[in-house]
Amino acid sequence: MNRLDYRVTGMTCGHCATGVTAQVSAVPGVTDVTVDLENDTVRVTGTAFDDAQVRAAIEEAGYEADEAAAA
C-alpha cells in the first residue's frame, strides 16, 4: 500500500471535500481518499497509483496540489 499526502489550498467546505474525493477516487489504484479541510491536506491511499494522475484529478476538481509527501 502506498500513501501520499498533498497540500491542497482553497478547500473550505464539505462540497469542496466531496468534489476532490470523487475526482481522486476515480484514479486507477486509489483505494481511499481523506480530505482534511482544517489542515488543507488530502491523503491518498492505494496501490500503484500515479502521482501525476492524482494531481490532475485535484486540478480537475478546481484546486492545486503542492508537493506530495509520503505519509
Side-chain angles (χ1 to χ4, degrees):
M1 263 320 186
N2 295 329
R3 195 166 71 186
L4 292 176
D5 286 340
Y6 296 84
R7 176 156 303 290
V8 180
T9 56
M11 300 181 299
T12 59
C13 65
H15 180 72
C16 299
T18 299
V20 169
T21 299
Q23 290 292 331
V24 176
S25 293
V27 173
V30 171
T31 58
D32 187 53
V33 179
T34 304
V35 175
D36 182 341
L37 295 173
E38 186 174 316
N39 293 308
D40 295 327
T41 59
V42 175
R43 174 169 282 177
V44 180
T45 307
T47 56
F49 59 85
D50 183 66
D51 176 61
Q53 288 182 320
V54 170
R55 287 174 184 273
I58 291 170
E59 288 178 13
E60 183 69 26
Y63 305 95
E64 187 174 324
D66 288 341
E67 180 111 7

